[in-house]
Amino acid sequence: MSDEKNSSVHSVDSKSEKQIAAEQPGGATESQFDLLSYHEHNAGRLVVDPEEAKIEFGEAVAKKLKLSPDGTKVLWPQPTDDPEDPMNWSDSTKNFQLLIITLAAIIPDFDSGTGIADIFALATQFNTTTGEINDLTSNWSIFLLGWGGIFAVMLMRRYGRLPVLWWSQVFALGWMIGCTFAPTLKVFTAMRCLNGFFATCPQVTGLYVVTDLFPFHLQARKLNIWTMGFIISPFLSPFVFGFIVARINWRWTYGIASIYGLIVVVLITFFMKETMYDRKLPNPKPIPRPRSRVLARVQTLLGVTGARMAKYRAGWTEVILACLNLVWRPHLLGILWFEAMVFGFSIGINTTNAVFLGSPPPVGFGFSQFGIAGAYGTPIVAVLIGEILGRYFNDWVMNFCIRRNNGVFIAEFRLWTCYIAMPLYLCGFLTLGGAVQNHLSVGALVMGWGIAEVAVMINTTAVYAYCNDCFPRHQGEISALINLARTLGGFSVAFFQVPWATKNGALQTFGVEAAVVLALFFLIVPVLQVKGQYLRDRFSS
């Protein structure tokens, strides 16, 4: 943890450092470029090694560069001398902020997954079928998870991270309480969909928080923790609540989920800090603060401070069009399409496995409610394994590639991790499909499901890190677009997965899904690795 303190990393200028240095005898001078925003002008290329920085920037600039505590890495962006700069916060403060945003990121899919545990009880309660419960509630609430993030980012660009996060979770908690006491299916559906739209904010705020606090060489590791939160969350609620709903009324599951949401709201209220730091302004804190710390906290939390700061930040036209301005860029559109299928089919597994496990043969295994709940422990363990593997493998890839590339990191290096994920993805889906179709042992089902989720965890972190490196000025929009892609890729799967598997067998269903993902991998990832620099130079902003 010692190299986390006072550190941050970003990229370089569209005009290469060597060109700048060559134009000046003795190298570039600090006046030629702003070190605080230098990373934004040549997205995807980072000079990390201090010795290489001397060659590319020149001695005059290299002497002014701040390094990591061990002196092995250049810090981008360069931390200011302001102790309130989030880059200068202590390691414990930074990691506590990461913990809170990770706990918050669990809420959206945790709330959505509660309906999976209750699917048979809900069908009985509202006198309908499990298919209609999935179609009306699970699928559409997942769909709205993606769109809610787009709107959250627009507000965060103007008003800051903290007030938007706080208000969104307060509203999400209210809708979850509405689910708990919903008298009819229509009311229940409306409450679930509204909850999905508002609750999703932490799933886009996390990338902001990680890049606000941590440097390049720590970002993949920290992103791995945050992504673990929302990847593991849809399995936690079916696992925990499956045992509860077998004993007591399903409304208790939504009540307990509401209590968890309340705990997160309390943590945000009293401990979450505003990580947005307007380092490009001559005075990053142009608004006078109240003398009272309590009043200052209340104003920041409710958005009063953010509303006053909005005039110094991006205008409404820019923030509204930002996602549209990014999504068409080839290197982003391609990787979004790929991730949409990788993550989307795993969402489909989560929403339909309850049906496969609970339905009587020949469609399913005929598990009891306890058996279904126990089975959902499989992906939880798998995601934890994926987090550990991804943490060390991403760090190893980064350090290895930097050494091989003379101290310079290129964004496309992140994509090597996908080569580890894809064989696991194929193996997992085929094993799971065979286990469901042929009613193999529980061990086969556990292995297939688990291996697939390890692959999803590893691949998703690599995609987030790659897109963040390519667009360092647009972390919020990148996070929102990835969130939208994965939900659009997954919400519709439950509509066709069970009928398809019932008609033609689960092996064909999961096998075709895996084949689609592998085809996209071969069509997109190698092309990005070969043409990535050209695409970044021409299309990154």
Side-chain angles (χ1 to χ4, degrees), residues 159-171:
Y159 303 121
R161 329 295 193 215
L162 180 57
V164 179
L165 177 65
W166 187 80
W167 280 111
S168 69
Q169 298 315 289
V170 168
F171 279 112

Side-chain angles (χ1 to χ4, degrees), residues 195-350:
N195 171 266
F197 183 83
F198 284 92
T200 193
C201 182
Q203 294 184 339
V204 298
T205 312
L207 185 57
Y208 265 141
V209 171
V210 168
T211 53
D212 286 342
L213 297 176
F214 298 102
F216 158 78
H217 63 284
L218 295 175
Q219 284 177 8
R221 185 188 308 175
K222 303 304 181 181
L223 284 174
N224 212 46
I225 296 172
W226 169 63
T227 55
M228 178 192 68
F230 64 76
I231 292 176
I232 202 173
S233 59
F235 311 121
L236 287 174
S237 42
F239 176 70
V240 175
F241 295 149
F243 294 106
I244 295 175
V245 78
R247 294 286 188 181
I248 58 179
N249 191 282
W250 64 269
R251 295 187 187 275
W252 277 101
T253 63
Y254 282 90
I256 295 171
S258 299
I259 293 172
Y260 176 71
L262 177 62
I263 293 171
V264 171
V265 168
V266 170
L267 287 173
I268 295 171
T269 301
F270 292 102
F271 302 107
M272 192 71 188
K273 302 177 72 172
E274 176 58 78
T275 62
M276 188 173 186
Y277 185 75
D278 299 280
R279 63 182 62 249
K280 292 183 182 180
L281 296 178
N283 176 15
K285 301 285 186 180
I287 304 297
R289 293 183 179 180
R291 291 185 179 181
S292 169
R293 294 179 61 182
V294 174
L295 180 59
R297 176 65 182 177
V298 170
Q299 289 183 348
T300 301
L301 194 67
L302 298 182
V304 175
T305 303
R308 292 173 179 171
M309 284 293 298
K311 62 183 178 181
Y312 299 100
R313 295 168 177 165
W316 278 115
T317 301
E318 180 181 342
V319 300
I320 290 173
L321 298 178
C323 286
L324 291 175
N325 188 39
L326 289 180
V327 70
W328 61 270
R329 299 169 194 272
H331 50 313
L332 179 59
L333 185 60
I335 204 70
L336 287 178
W337 189 17
F338 171 56
E339 176 64 14
M341 297 298 100
V342 171
F343 207 107
F345 290 136
S346 75
I347 293 176
I349 290 177
N350 189 44

Side-chain angles (χ1 to χ4, degrees), residues 37 48 87 96 126 142 160 201 265 308 319 373 375 383 457 459 486 495 498 526 541:
S37 59
V48 180
M87 294 290 178
F96 189 46
F126 297 119
I142 293 171
C201 182
V265 168
R308 292 173 179 171
V319 300
V383 172
M457 177 71 208
N459 194 83
R486 69 185 185 87
F495 285 106
V498 173
S541 63

Side-chain angles (χ1 to χ4, degrees), residues 393-405:
F393 186 73
N394 277 301
D395 282 354
W396 181 84
V397 167
M398 177 190 70
N399 292 318
F400 177 79
C401 291
I402 289 173
R403 289 195 301 270
R404 290 291 299 269
N405 200 42

